[in-house]
Amino acid sequence: MGEHSNNNNNSEIRKRIYLTIMSSVDFEETGHKLLNMKIHRSQQELSEQLGIRILNERLSNPRMYDSFESIFPKDNEKDTRFAINFFNSIGLGGLTDNMREYLKKNESECTRKRKHNENEE
């Protein structure tokens, strides 16, 4: 009975997530709606069951990149920072290591360009 109840809860959660994503205008609205749904409990349970390291490995699989690209964005700093803050707020900050590396690399590159431009003036 407990397993059947768990499967029903998981199905209901997946349905709510899907409907939330489809009804949102953009990435940020989706994040805010999911936070309001208290969806982080399910994500925390998943990370506890799999372990954050294994979950991170699965999410980092190159064959799965297209599936997760939108929730781990690296196309611009604003979206990357938002995603990092979102995952931190739901207790899954350990999944954002790749995005943090991207930001550090970009920030150092931007700093280098800024200094170069200042020296030219």
Side-chain angles (χ1 to χ4, degrees):
M1 183 174 161
E3 187 175 323
H4 179 69
S5 176
N6 239 0
N7 287 340
N8 284 343
N9 287 341
N10 287 339
S11 294
E12 184 61 32
I13 289 168
R14 283 193 296 270
K15 180 181 173 183
R16 286 180 26 216
I17 290 171
Y18 173 78
L19 292 173
T20 299
I21 291 169
M22 297 307 292
S23 68
S24 299
V25 175
D26 60 16
F27 179 83
E28 289 185 34
E29 182 180 357
T30 301
H32 290 294
K33 285 182 176 182
L34 290 174
L35 281 174
N36 288 336
M37 285 173 55
K38 306 288 189 241
I39 199 66
H40 62 279
R41 282 189 218 133
S42 308
Q43 291 170 329
Q44 286 175 331
E45 288 172 12
L46 181 62
S47 71
E48 288 169 6
Q49 289 172 359
L50 288 176
I52 197 77
R53 184 186 56 79
I54 292 172
L55 181 58
N56 205 8
E57 286 174 9
R58 290 186 181 176
L59 294 173
S60 299
N61 183 330
R63 288 182 288 157
M64 300 300 291
Y65 178 78
D66 290 341
S67 301
F68 298 113
E69 177 182 22
S70 62
I71 61 171
F72 297 106
K74 293 182 184 172
D75 55 345
N76 69 63
E77 289 184 32
K78 180 184 175 196
D79 289 348
T80 303
R81 288 182 194 287
F82 179 85
I84 290 170
N85 290 335
F86 173 77
F87 284 104
N88 281 333
S89 71
I90 61 172
L92 295 174
L95 299 178
T96 64
D97 293 341
N98 289 335
M99 289 188 291
R100 290 173 191 279
E101 288 175 26
Y102 162 79
L103 283 179
K104 283 180 185 176
K105 181 181 175 184
N106 254 9
E107 286 174 343
S108 61
E109 191 174 307
C110 288
T111 301
R112 188 172 28 88
K113 285 179 183 178
R114 189 173 359 98
K115 286 182 180 179
H116 177 72
N117 289 339
E118 288 172 0
N119 289 337
E120 286 184 348
E121 294 174 354

